[in-house]
Amino acid sequence: MAVTRTFSIIKPDATRRNLTGAVTKMLEEAGLRVIASKRVRMSREQAEGFYGVHRERPFFNDLVGFMVSGPVVVQVLEGEDAVAANRRVMGATNPENADEGTIRKAFAESIEANTVHGSDSEENAATEIAFFFSEDEIIG
């Protein structure tokens, strides 16, 4: 396996409960290294742009509303097969279906407030990273 990068968001439900460190610790214990990180408050326009792929879905407005409801922590993660490693440690989207020891099992409040977002492919990771970070902000 090659060392690759992926993108992660620690969502408003987690930042509200001061779980940024606990989530990051789980990511690092899963073999991922944080090579860029910043706390931001997404504007409605940013959230709509970032989640634009879901624009026609019935949950789009609720998703955007949730993501602008508080600060988030956006991160670039690096590690062996980073996308798959991140998805394993995040757990299933619905925390009721998430395995023990995953971030969502440990911290998610609901399927909507599920603590973290992670890229689903290397291609999407590159797009999502570029949405929030310039190259000079990524210190590998």
Side-chain angles (χ1 to χ4, degrees), residues 5 11 17 39 50 54 67-68 76 84 89 99-100 110:
R5 292 179 177 173
K11 294 181 177 182
R17 292 178 291 145
R39 185 178 179 99
F50 186 80
H54 300 301
M67 292 304 291
V68 302
V76 180
V89 73
D99 291 337
E100 288 297 327
S110 67

Side-chain angles (χ1 to χ4, degrees), residues 5 11 27 45 82 90 98 106 108 115 118-119 125 129 131 133 137:
R5 292 179 177 173
K11 294 181 177 182
L27 294 169
E45 294 76 24
M90 283 192 316
T115 306
S119 302
I129 290 167
F131 192 91
F133 292 95
E137 293 178 297

Side-chain angles (χ1 to χ4, degrees), residues 21-31 89 101-104 106-107:
V23 170
T24 300
K25 181 178 184 215
M26 291 180 77
L27 294 169
E28 291 176 335
E29 288 175 345
V89 73
T102 63
I103 293 167
R104 289 178 173 148
F107 302 124

Side-chain angles (χ1 to χ4, degrees), residues 19-137:
L19 295 172
T20 301
V23 170
T24 300
K25 181 178 184 215
M26 291 180 77
L27 294 169
E28 291 176 335
E29 288 175 345
L32 296 163
R33 189 165 67 105
V34 179
I35 60 171
S37 180
K38 58 185 169 183
R39 185 178 179 99
V40 299
R41 184 159 202 141
M42 272 197 248
S43 68
R44 180 160 296 280
E45 294 76 24
Q46 280 179 308
E48 287 175 350
F50 186 80
Y51 287 106
V53 67
H54 300 301
R55 188 172 304 280
E56 301 305 317
R57 314 272 305 268
F59 60 82
F60 177 74
N61 287 327
D62 289 340
L63 174 61
V64 168
F66 171 64
M67 292 304 291
V68 302
S69 70
V72 300
V73 176
V74 293
Q75 298 177 319
V76 180
L77 308 174
E78 188 174 77
E80 292 286 328
D81 197 12
V83 170
N86 187 39
R87 295 192 70 77
R88 276 191 303 274
V89 73
M90 283 192 316
T93 302
N94 184 342
E96 292 180 12
N97 300 331
D99 291 337
E100 288 297 327
T102 63
I103 293 167
R104 289 178 173 148
K105 188 64 161 188
F107 302 124
E109 296 177 317
S110 67
I111 193 169
E112 293 85 15
N114 64 5
T115 306
V116 287
H117 162 88
S119 302
D120 62 2
S121 69
E122 287 188 30
E123 296 76 23
N124 285 342
T127 300
E128 292 175 345
I129 290 167
F131 192 91
F132 284 100
F133 292 95
S134 64
E135 277 301 315
D136 64 341
E137 293 178 297

